Amino acid sequence: MKKILICTGGTGGHIFPAISLAQYLEKKNFNVDLITDYRAKRFINNLNLRNITFINVKTPTGKKGLGLIYSLFLIFISFLYSIFFLLFKKPQLIIGSGGYASFPILLAAKLLKKKFIIYETNSVVGRVNKFFLNSSVKIFTGYPLKNLNINNDKINFVGQLIREQIYTAKEKNDFKKDNNFDFTLLVIGGSQGAEIFSKILPQSLNKLFSLNKKIRIFHQAGNKEQESKIDFTYKNNSNVTIFNFEPNIEKYMMLSDLVITRAGSSTLSELAFLQIPFIAIPFKDSLDNHQFYNAEYFFRMSACWLIDQQELNSEKLFDLVKDLILNKEKLLEKKSKLKELTKTNVNEIFEREINNLLS
């Protein structure tokens, strides 16, 4: 049985693709270990994965003084732990998919001369992945990356890993649209929520109810604190449903005609796979502006609408959504474009490439 180790960060954008791959490889009789940080615990309850290990690490990015020293200390301790972990587990191949939690494992792998590949889900290579690019035997990407100063033979555009439940939801089509509504809108702030989505978007979306249409809105607030900032009138509208983190977000996606979202790679890839048209409002402070470049990929292919957060105002957003409610053929055009861009056999590509590397 081939032994694989996947290491990744604990945010939704990192852990969901890693879980998807781990579950698929286990079904194909690989022996798979997954290692991540404690933030991932909220995402993996009740998942059928045999071997998950959590390490206590904190990002040094943006830290100063004692905070920086403490985060570097945790990384060093995790690095020492990772050496013994790799010596004990003896994986034949390690897959690093980004996030600072993968740094100590990949550093230990490099020291022990273990074979590893890098999987980059974003349009911009993350800092941890960039650090190990030259040491990796292969680089898999979720988007077609450009201008990497590295041997192009190592780079393989495989597409985005999708959670198994997303595949199942599309195949079974369990969540059918409610014909009692003319238009259903979903607002997603990402697994951490989005404060600006709680403060600014309700001002725009509240005005939609003045149209002569039956409109329903699902709105992810992220947490109770952000929910408290949502306009009272909007929040208490009977056709508005406010929720916090939802592990089965596909049930809301498939009920929706349009989604307003941040631009994390997992969310965009799931919307693209389900062919749900979306307006992307990238988080302006995302590391290396990766959310903007994720959304720009779809925007350049005429597969989404893109609004810069700096240019976001209630009138601009209201006018755009109103136009799409009244002209649904524009949504159909985007659905068609999303279908063209979606790769549906990403897990199989991974399996084939892994087998080639281990043969």
Side-chain angles (χ1 to χ4, degrees), residues 308-323:
D308 191 314
Q309 182 175 311
Q310 304 283 63
E311 300 173 359
L312 179 63
N313 60 67
S314 60
E315 286 301 322
K316 182 173 185 176
L317 185 61
F318 169 73
D319 289 341
L320 175 55
V321 178
K322 175 184 175 182
D323 180 50

Side-chain angles (χ1 to χ4, degrees), residues 236-247:
N236 287 276
N237 188 310
S238 60
N239 287 337
V240 175
T241 301
I242 306 293
F243 64 98
N244 295 323
F245 173 71
E246 171 54 64

Side-chain angles (χ1 to χ4, degrees), residues 11-14 16-17 43 121-122 143 160-163 166 186-193 197 220 245-246 249-250 253 259-281 291 294-295 298 338 342:
T11 63
H14 283 115
F16 287 143
F43 304 119
T121 63
N122 291 305
Y143 293 95
Q160 295 286 345
L161 289 164
I162 304 292
R163 287 182 286 171
I166 302 296
L186 170 63
V187 178
I188 307 176
S191 60
Q192 306 303 313
F197 279 27
Q220 182 198 44
F245 173 71
E246 171 54 64
I249 192 67
E250 68 278 3
M253 290 178 174
V259 176
I260 300 174
T261 180
R262 287 305 201 186
S265 59
S266 289
T267 299
L268 296 192
S269 61
E270 290 174 0
L271 290 171
F273 179 78
L274 295 173
Q275 296 162 39
I276 311 296
F278 60 89
I279 299 170
I281 307 175
Q291 285 207 5
N294 290 348
F298 290 99
L338 289 171
T342 302

Side-chain angles (χ1 to χ4, degrees), residues 30-298:
F30 286 77
N31 185 339
V32 183
D33 280 280
L34 176 64
I35 190 163
T36 184
D37 63 82
Y38 285 100
R39 296 173 300 167
K41 280 198 168 184
R42 66 185 295 209
F43 304 119
I44 61 178
N45 290 335
N46 303 318
L47 284 178
N48 184 25
L49 286 171
R50 290 191 292 270
N51 303 312
I52 305 176
T53 301
F54 299 96
I55 54 176
N56 185 21
V57 288
K58 306 287 184 183
T59 179
T61 302
K63 300 284 179 60
K64 294 181 181 179
L66 291 177
L68 177 60
I69 293 172
Y70 180 61
S71 63
L72 293 176
F73 171 74
L74 290 178
I75 289 174
F76 176 70
I77 295 299
S78 296
F79 165 65
L80 296 179
Y81 172 82
S82 298
I83 292 174
F84 290 102
F85 185 88
L86 293 180
L87 290 173
F88 176 72
K89 290 289 186 176
K90 295 182 174 62
Q92 295 169 270
L93 181 68
I94 299 163
I95 303 171
S97 65
Y100 54 84
S102 65
F103 181 85
I105 283 285
L106 293 180
L107 188 61
K110 183 176 179 179
L111 176 70
L112 297 173
K113 301 187 184 309
K114 293 279 188 180
K115 188 183 296 184
F116 65 86
I117 64 175
I118 294 296
Y119 177 51
E120 179 54 65
T121 63
N122 291 305
S123 288
V124 178
V125 180
R127 297 181 186 187
V128 171
N129 282 348
K130 186 179 292 184
F131 186 87
F132 291 104
L133 286 181
N134 289 310
S135 306
S136 65
V137 296
K138 203 80 174 176
I139 301 162
F140 295 165
T141 72
Y143 293 95
L145 302 179
K146 296 180 181 179
N147 302 324
L148 273 183
N149 185 24
I150 198 166
N151 178 6
N152 285 333
D153 291 339
K154 290 176 67 171
I155 302 173
N156 189 353
F157 168 44
V158 298
Q160 295 286 345
L161 289 164
I162 304 292
R163 287 182 286 171
E164 183 178 11
Q165 65 199 63
I166 302 296
Y167 284 110
T168 302
K170 185 174 182 180
E171 180 182 352
K172 293 185 176 180
N173 195 22
D174 289 333
F175 309 106
K176 299 184 185 298
K177 289 185 171 61
D178 188 340
N179 293 327
N180 291 321
F181 293 93
D182 299 314
F183 196 86
T184 299
L185 176 67
L186 170 63
V187 178
I188 307 176
S191 60
Q192 306 303 313
E195 186 170 341
I196 193 171
F197 279 27
S198 297
K199 285 185 174 181
I200 294 181
L201 265 59
Q203 299 173 24
S204 302
L205 304 182
N206 232 351
K207 292 185 285 187
L208 296 174
F209 295 107
S210 65
L211 303 176
N212 189 26
K213 297 285 183 179
K214 293 181 180 178
I215 295 171
R216 174 174 57 177
I217 299 175
F218 301 119
H219 189 127
Q220 182 198 44
N223 55 51
K224 292 295 183 182
E225 181 183 353
Q226 292 178 15
E227 184 177 341
S228 68
K229 298 174 183 177
I230 295 176
D231 177 78
F232 180 83
T233 305
Y234 174 80
K235 183 164 53 177
N236 287 276
N237 188 310
S238 60
N239 287 337
V240 175
T241 301
I242 306 293
F243 64 98
N244 295 323
F245 173 71
E246 171 54 64
N248 300 310
I249 192 67
E250 68 278 3
K251 70 183 181 182
Y252 290 119
M253 290 178 174
M254 297 187 71
L255 291 171
S256 302
D257 298 288
L258 176 69
V259 176
I260 300 174
T261 180
R262 287 305 201 186
S265 59
S266 289
T267 299
L268 296 192
S269 61
E270 290 174 0
L271 290 171
F273 179 78
L274 295 173
Q275 296 162 39
I276 311 296
F278 60 89
I279 299 170
I281 307 175
F283 179 45
K284 67 180 182 65
D285 295 322
S286 61
L287 202 59
D288 301 316
N289 206 19
H290 70 267
Q291 285 207 5
F292 172 78
Y293 293 108
N294 290 348
E296 187 193 39
Y297 168 72
F298 290 99

Side-chain angles (χ1 to χ4, degrees), residues 324-335:
L324 298 177
I325 291 173
L326 300 178
N327 299 283
K328 283 193 173 182
E329 67 276 4
K330 294 182 180 181
L331 298 173
L332 296 176
E333 292 172 5
K334 291 293 186 282
K335 289 174 74 76

